Structures are given as structure tokens and as C-alpha cells.
Amino acid sequence: MKFLPPIMNLPDARDTYEARAMEALGMDARAMEQTDPAARALNRRDLMRLMALGGAGMLLPEAAEAASAIPPALPILQSFVRGFVTRGNLPGVLVSVGRGFADPAYVGAGTLAFGSRVPVNKDTLWRIYSMTKPVTGIATMMLVDDGKLSLDQPLAEILPKYARMTVQLQPDGPLAARPAKTQITIRHLLTHTSGLGYSIMQSGPIKTAYLKAGLVPGQFSRIPNPFEPQYPVAPNLEVFADRLAALPLVYEPGTRWSYGMGLDLLGRVIEVVSGQRFDHFLKQRIFDPLGMTSTGFVVPQDQIARLTTNYGIVAGLAVPIDPGQASVFAKPAGLLAGGAGLVSSARDYDRFLMMLLGEGRFNGKQLMSAQAARLAMSNLLPPGANIRGTWIEGYGFGAGGRVTLPTSKEGVGVFGWNGAAGTIGWVDRGRKMRVTGMVQQMPLDAYPFQSALPGIIQRQFAAKA
């Protein structure tokens, strides 16, 4: 998926970006450099120097220092991780690998940002974007476990405005619509089969309607930039849910897997059913019991120095679209986006995966029943849902994440999902493994970290066997 639009006139785009960024943040170049070393890439002289060196192909001395400090315990993984830094593709990369319930090994290289001297480590903060979805999915399954929700419960029983939804006559065509034949259920929201669209996926009038209504995954930056157009985001989950109910569905519920806003809408479902704000529920039921002290929708000011910079990659050039210390995540989030809103660390996300590997159990505490955990990581797709030509063809889908089937090449027992900035995380119950991979690049396939990491892990541990 491409999250960054192509820029035909790159030099002009860079100049515009630089000027608008300075204006938006109220900083001159020197002040911006002092606030966040990563923002040095906004300086025209530095951009030209990078272009002269072939895009982002220069290795900064401090990045080389951090890369050389990697222990040689996992040589195949080490070489893979280090390569992105030594080639100058990315400033920092980190992978966490855990076997069974032992502490994970961390393999990392580089720094928080180009120009930074702070090496990445297990407590570095990363934008995990859609890796938020399994967290929201598990939170939903906790309420199923509590008896407060059921998978095939109609959404309208919780949010009455969804009782009479309509469906576009032509997907992504005019907004002309017919009444939906099927009620949206909790299962549909968990598995991207609700018929709801996504502003990052749809086109035509429905995309325009989403954008005008602020029905977007959240903001990627507070700096106007040529990579991610700025749109007003719905101010909270209640408004988000009400506005979404007023627009037609793209597909009939239950008929097709289509990446959509179902997990975001589940944030509002959780609020109504639990009587708590979505972020408070996550903190009480998941983050606090797991010791996930670095995970949330906002990065506190006293922790902002741990946040990486997110880069847009265009023609091999890394341009900061969300500098760490000037990040959009440094201010309170209005919309608590259950589909893409969390920042986390490798240590924290590994704890979440460890709980899944333990089927709801972590350090002697049972956060959810083993039955509910196994159900969450099983194939929850409604019978007959069309998955041909989708990202999950040949797989199933559980509570916010893809699941492998007995016929899948990885074998049964793998559950996880990835993020828009190239991050990825999964638990492999068959092999008793858990893996978290962290980078910050958009689009997610600008460099083959996310797509190649599963194969690298397989090679590494096959070589050790």
C-alpha cells in the first residue's frame, strides 16, 4: 500500500516543505535543529548534500558506532538489521525476538534520527500505527470474555445509528446507495468485513466524504508537508462514530474482506460497553497489567526524547515528516484511533505478544481466559467472505490481525499485523516465538524491512537448529 503520494517536482516540493514547516512550527532553521537533530534534514544545504551522495546513502558516524555495537549472537538477523543503517536507508532499526516466555533478544542498529547521537534500544518509542489493531481486537475480545459483547451481536444494539445502513450501488462510485441487507456485527468489525471503507484505501466520492468528515486514521504530522495532506480529524470517538454512520458502506456486510475503519469504530464500542474512555480501558485491562509503561496515544513531554523521527522516502531521500521532538504525538490526541493511534516500544509490544503466546496469561496473571485468547487468534472470518486478491488471500483473519491456516506456508498458529511506517509484529504459537520489528519509513514498502523480516527470522532460526 502506498501512503505517500508521488511528487513529480521533488526540489520544489522540498523547498515548499521546508518553508511551510518552519512557518508551522514557528522556528527558524537553527532553532529547529536545536529542538530535534533530525530536523537538520529540512535544511536545504543538507538536502542537496544528501542528493549529491545518492539520496539517503550516506552513513552518519554516530549511526556506524551504534551499528558496530550489535552482539553477534544472531548473525543473519544482525546483518539484515545493520544493512539498512550502513546503506544509509534508515537512521535506526530494531528487532525483538523472544522464544517461549524468556526475555527477548534485541538486535538493533543506528539512532533515533539522522543526525542524532542517541542509539535505538528496547525502550525507544516508535509509531506503530496499524499494529494498534490487534491491541484493539484483543481489548474487544476481553469484553466478549466478560460476557458484555458477543461476536455475532449486531452493532446497532450498541450504537443505534447503525441500524439502517446503506451500501453504495457501485463501490467507490457515486454515493447513490441501497439499504443494506445485513446488520454489521462485532465479528465484521474485528475482521474488516463490515463493509466500512478507509480514507487511505478508497477513491472517488466516498473518499472525499470521509476526508471532509474527518474520518481518517489520524494525523501523521503537525507540519504541513507534501507527503501527507492535512485534514481535520474527528474530535473524538463519539463524533467519529456518528459521522461514519451517516455515510454509505462500500460493501454489503459480511461479503468481502476490505481494509476499513472497523477497528477504529470498535474503540467507540468499547467506550459504550465498558463505560470508560477507550484509552483508560486499554490502560486498565492491558497496558498496566503487562507493564507496558511506554505505550499510549500521546508521548509525555518528559519522554519525548525517546521518540524516533518518521521519514517519508522519495527517490531514495529520507525527509522527516514527523520529527521526534516536534511530533504530532507530543500533544494530546482528540481521536483515540483504535486502528492506528498508538506509540510503543519494542519491549512493550513484546509483552503484549508474550501474553498472547501465554493464551491470556502473563507473569502469573490471567488477563483473559485461554479460550478467549485462542478464539481471538483463530480465523473469525464470516463464512463465504470473499478474500480473493486481498492481503489475506490464503490466510484467515482474527481479532485485528491476520492468522495462518493449516494450508498457509507458515503453518498454523501465527497471528499478527503490521504498521504504515514499516513496523511489524507477530506471535507464532506453533514455534513458541514472538517477533517485533521497528523502523520509521513511509511508505511502508520503501525499503523491504517489513516484507523480508519473517523470512529472515525463519532463516536465522533454521540456521541455528
Side-chain angles (χ1 to χ4, degrees):
M1 184 195 318
K2 301 290 186 183
F3 286 86
L4 300 181
I7 300 173
M8 301 310 294
N9 192 335
L10 192 58
D12 288 349
R14 289 194 193 98
D15 290 347
T16 302
Y17 175 64
E18 178 186 347
R20 294 178 69 190
M22 299 304 178
E23 180 181 358
L25 291 179
M27 299 177 180
D28 61 20
R30 180 173 300 176
M32 195 170 198
E33 288 177 22
Q34 292 171 348
T35 301
D36 182 4
R40 293 180 66 248
L42 292 173
N43 182 282
R44 184 181 293 105
R45 180 177 57 195
D46 286 345
L47 285 169
M48 295 304 293
R49 179 165 55 87
L50 284 170
M51 285 190 289
L53 289 167
M58 184 184 69
L59 174 65
L60 299 175
E62 55 269 25
E65 262 181 43
S68 66
I70 300 170
L74 301 171
I76 297 173
L77 179 58
Q78 171 189 321
S79 177
F80 173 73
V81 166
R82 179 184 290 176
F84 292 100
V85 176
T86 57
R87 290 189 298 269
N89 301 144
L90 298 167
V93 181
L94 189 74
V95 175
S96 165
V97 183
R99 302 295 300 268
F101 301 100
D103 289 341
Y106 297 95
V107 176
T111 57
L112 298 184
F114 286 115
S116 171
R117 294 184 178 276
V118 181
V120 298
N121 61 40
K122 60 188 177 182
D123 293 314
T124 294
L125 300 179
W126 313 77
R127 299 153 192 80
I128 63 171
Y129 293 130
S130 286
M131 281 168 61
T132 304
K133 288 178 169 70
V135 176
T136 302
I138 292 300
T140 304
M141 293 302 295
M142 287 178 169
L143 289 172
V144 172
D145 200 26
D146 293 344
K148 296 181 178 180
L149 283 175
S150 63
L151 286 177
D152 295 311
Q153 180 178 4
L155 172 63
E157 291 184 3
I158 302 152
L159 302 178
K161 291 185 178 181
Y162 286 83
R164 294 180 178 84
M165 296 300 290
T166 60
V167 183
Q168 282 188 287
L169 297 178
Q170 176 188 342
D172 289 340
L175 293 182
R178 58 166 176 80
K181 301 174 185 177
T182 307
Q183 289 283 311
I184 298 173
T185 66
I186 301 304
R187 179 187 302 272
H188 295 153
L189 295 178
L190 285 168
T191 60
H192 295 294
T193 56
S194 65
L196 292 166
Y198 220 166
S199 63
I200 57 176
M201 300 298 296
Q202 309 315 137
S203 60
I206 189 69
K207 178 183 178 77
T208 301
Y210 286 153
L211 296 177
K212 286 183 177 179
L215 302 175
V216 297
Q219 288 183 298
F220 288 91
S221 174
R222 68 188 180 97
I223 304 174
N225 66 79
F227 304 103
E228 183 252 332
Q230 302 283 300
Y231 298 101
V233 180
N236 56 54
L237 282 169
E238 182 178 8
V239 172
F240 176 91
D242 289 350
R243 291 179 183 177
L244 187 57
L247 293 173
L249 301 172
V250 181
Y251 299 101
E252 180 70 29
T255 63
R256 179 180 176 83
W257 191 91
S258 180
Y259 206 47
M261 289 183 278
L263 276 299
D264 295 285
L265 187 54
L266 277 170
R268 179 57 183 162
V269 170
I270 289 169
E271 289 189 332
V272 173
V273 172
S274 71
Q276 295 178 272
R277 264 183 38 153
F278 180 43
D279 55 341
H280 294 171
F281 182 88
L282 293 182
K283 187 175 188 298
Q284 179 184 8
R285 296 293 297 270
I286 298 178
F287 300 157
D288 284 354
L290 293 178
M292 295 174 65
T293 58
S294 297
T295 302
F297 293 97
V298 62
V299 179
Q301 279 301 313
D302 62 354
Q303 301 299 315
I304 199 69
R306 295 162 53 198
L307 181 61
T308 50
T309 287
N310 191 19
Y311 289 89
I313 312 297
V314 178
L317 178 66
V319 177
I321 55 177
D322 192 38
Q325 295 191 33
S327 173
V328 69
F329 288 97
K331 63 177 184 177
L335 181 66
L336 305 173
L342 289 176
V343 169
S344 190
S345 67
R347 186 214 297 256
D348 273 16
Y349 209 81
D350 176 71
R351 291 181 174 219
F352 174 67
L353 297 178
M354 188 185 294
M355 183 269 289
L356 296 182
L357 185 62
E359 297 185 338
R361 193 170 184 81
F362 179 85
N363 281 356
K365 301 176 184 177
Q366 197 74 38
L367 277 66
M368 62 194 303
S369 71
Q371 181 182 9
R374 288 193 296 267
L375 182 62
M377 295 182 282
S378 70
N379 183 20
L380 299 178
L381 287 172
N386 183 4
I387 63 172
R388 290 192 303 274
T390 71
W391 296 336
I392 67 162
E393 186 170 7
Y395 297 88
F397 208 84
R402 191 181 74 167
V403 300
T404 55
L405 305 173
T407 53
S408 302
K409 61 183 180 180
E410 298 89 348
V412 72
V414 181
F415 171 82
W417 200 235
N418 52 32
T423 59
I424 183 170
W426 75 89
V427 59
D428 186 336
R429 291 185 293 148
R431 297 173 180 83
K432 303 295 183 186
M433 292 185 65
R434 51 193 203 273
V435 180
T436 302
M438 300 294 204
V439 293
Q440 301 283 248
Q441 62 175 46
M442 299 183 80
L444 57 81
D445 57 356
Y447 299 112
F449 173 80
Q450 188 183 91
S451 60
L453 182 59
I456 292 297
I457 294 294
Q458 184 178 12
R459 284 177 52 200
Q460 176 64 73
F461 287 91
K464 289 177 69 67

